[in-house]
Amino acid sequence: MNNEENQQQTTDVQSQEGQQEQQNQDTGSKVTFTDEQQAAINDLVAEKLAKERAKAEAKAQEAAQKAEQEKEDAIKKAEQRAKMSAEERAEAERKDREQAIEQERQELARQKQEFKTKSMLLDKGITSDMLPLLMGANDDETSQRMDLLNKYVAKKVQEATEKLMRGKQTPTGGNGVSLNDNPWSAQAFNLTKQQEIFNQDPEKARQMIAQAQPKQGFYVGKIN
């Protein structure tokens, strides 16, 4: 066997080994599912595709209806123009041009206002998803809507804060007693009640001491 044949055999072996290693890697990284899991995944995918297909069909139907309506309007307009005199037809065409120019002006104004509103939202750290809700006919109206949103958010934050603070004023521990009723707490410190609770239920007393974590000196229930 000559050198060329040896080199060719070595190359073939290396190629086969590389293919086998790649197959092993592919097999190791492959994720498998049970039949039930795969069926659930298939159902989810099918449901998603059905929804997207329904949206596409609805949009296509809407576009077709709009095109048909425009076609009927064009035919109707052409029939009406055919019955007009040259002067009337010229006046009607002039109004059409003015209407088209006005529509273009309104669309440009809308696009400009949308761009300015997005910049205002960005400056205030508000997501652009709020654009349809906050964009007004002009900057003043947009600012007013943003102010209303800020007031609403501030009100909700204040309500949540007050609710949280009320909850912290009378917290309860595992023993179900609020600090206002805990004689080891600063706001309800009472040696007589401490003694009564400790005599009746020493374990409950220890729980209430752990809950209150008294910073002032106390005697009843203290472990020496």
Side-chain angles (χ1 to χ4, degrees):
M1 184 180 294
N2 55 35
N3 292 335
E4 291 183 356
E5 290 178 345
N6 288 334
Q7 291 178 354
Q8 182 63 37
Q9 287 182 352
T10 301
T11 301
D12 292 342
V13 170
Q14 290 176 345
S15 177
Q16 292 175 0
E17 291 177 348
Q19 292 176 357
Q20 183 63 38
E21 182 178 356
Q22 182 64 40
Q23 289 177 357
N24 292 337
Q25 291 178 354
D26 293 343
T27 302
S29 61
K30 184 178 180 180
V31 179
T32 59
F33 300 98
T34 64
D35 293 342
E36 292 79 5
Q37 290 174 331
Q38 188 62 53
I41 293 173
N42 293 341
D43 290 341
L44 289 174
V45 172
E47 183 180 358
K48 181 67 175 178
L49 291 175
K51 289 181 178 179
E52 294 298 327
R53 188 180 299 110
K55 287 182 182 179
E57 291 176 353
K59 186 178 292 187
Q61 185 177 3
E62 182 180 354
Q65 291 176 347
K66 182 178 180 181
E68 184 63 25
Q69 185 63 47
E70 290 177 349
K71 179 181 178 181
E72 292 178 1
D73 292 342
I75 294 174
K76 184 177 180 180
K77 180 183 289 187
E79 292 175 348
Q80 292 175 344
R81 297 287 168 87
K83 299 176 182 179
M84 294 180 180
S85 64
E87 184 177 348
E88 291 174 338
R89 189 160 47 251
E91 177 64 16
E93 291 175 353
R94 182 187 67 79
K95 290 182 179 180
D96 287 345
R97 289 193 296 272
E98 290 180 351
Q99 183 178 4
I101 292 173
E102 177 62 19
Q103 289 177 345
E104 290 181 359
R105 186 193 68 79
Q106 291 178 358
E107 177 59 20
L108 287 174
R110 187 197 66 78
Q111 293 179 2
K112 181 180 178 181
Q113 186 60 34
E114 180 176 317
F115 177 78
K116 294 172 68 176
T117 301
K118 285 183 178 179
S119 298
M120 295 171 69
L121 294 177
L122 182 62
D123 291 340
K124 292 183 177 294
I126 302 175
T127 175
S128 59
D129 294 341
M130 299 293 289
L131 178 68
L133 176 64
L134 297 178
M135 189 176 79
N138 50 52
D139 292 348
D140 290 339
E141 184 176 345
T142 300
S143 296
Q144 290 175 1
R145 294 186 180 187
M146 288 187 179
D147 290 340
L148 289 174
L149 175 63
N150 289 333
K151 290 178 180 178
Y152 175 80
V153 172
K155 179 181 178 182
K156 291 300 181 183
V157 170
Q158 181 65 24
E159 290 176 353
T161 302
E162 291 176 354
K163 183 178 180 180
L164 178 62
M165 294 304 296
R166 286 196 300 269
K168 285 187 175 181
Q169 288 173 0
T170 57
T172 60
N175 50 51
V177 178
S178 71
L179 287 179
N180 287 336
D181 297 326
N182 188 326
W184 281 273
S185 67
Q187 58 265 48
F189 193 83
N190 189 305
L191 289 173
T192 302
K193 289 185 177 179
Q194 291 178 15
Q195 188 65 58
E196 291 177 357
I197 296 173
F198 187 79
N199 291 338
Q200 294 174 0
D201 191 343
E203 180 59 30
K204 181 178 181 182
R206 292 188 181 92
Q207 292 178 5
M208 295 177 72
I209 293 170
Q211 175 198 21
Q213 297 182 359
K215 294 180 174 56
Q216 60 184 349
F218 69 99
Y219 301 96
V220 182
K222 179 171 288 190
I223 300 175
N224 297 325

